[in-house]
């Protein structure tokens, strides 16, 4: 039988110290493993979340581009503007001019003033594309009971227009005014819209060809 030499209290205390140290090491390993699992899981969730966020705008832009391409295919080629006169018309010398009694005939024939604004700067393709956008935008805005800037933006987003194409949302009177940037392939087309329930409308306007969106001319007062 082995005899234990030395005080029992010292040996017991030593064993307790070793046991405590072992428990501490085990706990540290467990915490490390747990932390690794949490970090991995959190990392994967964060990656998926950031991937979703980064893909969503791209998806929206793709859908918007598909919309623009569909309208472009339904319209004529760029360059023709039937609203701009090709030359001054000359009066027929054999046809007498109709003059009201008491009026003096003009010394020279009066020529119509050339068109300005959207009629002069937008071609037939722009007007055709604008009509396609106008129909769907007005139809959707007429359904809004409370056309605030928030609801108008949400409606336009639902139609496929991303925030980067929606500008100058401003509420005034009974409706909300806004602009849509419809520039594509060097064009200058935009739309000036008013969301006002049944009185909603959208009219073509002209934007700067390059750079940030800025309206160059419009017919709306």
């Amino acid at each position: 039988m082995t005899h234990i030499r030395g005080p029992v209290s010292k040996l017991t205390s030593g064993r307790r110290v070793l046991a405590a140290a072992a428990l501490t090491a085990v706990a540290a390993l467990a915490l490390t493993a747990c932390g690794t699992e949490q970090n991995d899981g959190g990392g994967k969730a964060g990656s998926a979340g950031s991937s979703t966020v980064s893909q969503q705008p791209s998806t929206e832009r793709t859908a918007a581009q598909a919309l623009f391409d569909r309208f472009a295919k339904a319209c004529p080629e760029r360059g023709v503007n039937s609203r701009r006169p090709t030359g001054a018309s000359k009066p027929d010398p054999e046809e007498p001019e109709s003059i009201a009694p008491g009026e003096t005939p003009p010394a020279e024939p009066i020529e119509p003033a050339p068109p300005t604004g959207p009629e002069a700067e937008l071609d037939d393709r722009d007007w055709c594309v604008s009509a396609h956008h106008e129909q769907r935008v007005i139809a959707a805005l007429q359904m809004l009971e409370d056309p605030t800037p928030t609801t108008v933006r949400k409606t336009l987003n639902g139609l496929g227009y991303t925030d980067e194409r929606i500008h100058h949302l401003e509420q005034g009177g009974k409706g909300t005014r806004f602009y849509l940037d419809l520039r594509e392939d060097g064009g200058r087309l935009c739309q000036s819209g008013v969301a006002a329930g049944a009185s909603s409308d959208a009219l073509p306007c002209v934007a700067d060809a390059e750079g940030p969106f800025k309206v160059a001319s419009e017919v709306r007062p």
Side-chain angles (χ1 to χ4, degrees):
M1 182 175 182
T2 305
H3 294 282
I4 300 175
R5 297 181 180 180
V8 175
S9 59
K10 290 184 178 181
L11 292 176
T12 303
S13 176
R15 290 174 181 173
R16 289 177 179 173
V17 170
L18 290 175
L23 288 174
T24 301
V26 171
L29 290 173
L31 287 174
T32 302
C34 182
T36 302
E37 292 177 359
Q38 291 178 350
N39 289 338
D40 289 343
K44 291 179 182 178
S47 176
S50 61
S51 175
T52 302
V53 171
S54 63
Q55 289 177 3
Q56 188 170 4
S58 177
T59 303
E60 292 175 354
R61 284 194 295 270
T62 300
Q65 188 60 52
L67 177 70
F68 278 68
D69 292 343
R70 177 159 57 90
F71 291 162
K73 290 179 180 178
C75 294
E77 294 296 326
R78 185 172 298 283
V80 178
N81 187 350
S82 58
R83 290 170 171 77
R84 185 185 298 123
T86 56
S89 59
K90 296 182 180 180
D92 187 352
E94 297 181 359
E95 183 179 350
E97 296 183 2
S98 177
I99 303 173
E103 291 186 358
T104 303
E108 297 180 358
I110 300 176
E111 298 180 0
T116 59
E119 287 194 358
E121 300 181 65
L122 299 178
D123 60 17
D124 290 356
R125 180 184 183 86
D126 290 327
W127 286 94
C128 175
V129 171
S130 180
H132 284 287
H133 288 285
E134 178 183 338
Q135 291 175 1
R136 62 199 307 271
V137 167
I138 292 178
L141 295 179
Q142 287 178 337
M143 302 298 292
L144 286 179
E145 297 181 359
D146 185 22
T148 64
T150 300
T151 58
V152 170
R153 180 182 294 277
K154 184 177 180 180
T155 299
L156 294 175
N157 287 156
L159 292 175
Y161 303 102
T162 58
D163 286 341
E164 62 190 7
R165 291 191 177 271
I166 304 171
H167 299 275
H168 308 313
L169 277 165
E170 182 179 354
Q171 189 169 14
K174 297 181 180 180
T176 294
R177 298 187 63 169
F178 63 93
Y179 289 94
L180 283 178
D181 181 1
L182 304 179
R183 294 176 295 178
E184 286 287 317
D185 300 328
R188 303 178 62 190
L189 176 64
C190 62
Q191 273 195 346
S192 169
V194 175
S199 302
S200 299
D201 69 4
L203 300 174
C205 60
V206 183
D208 287 350
E210 298 178 353
F213 177 79
K214 183 180 179 181
V215 178
S217 65
E218 61 177 318
V219 296
R220 190 184 300 279

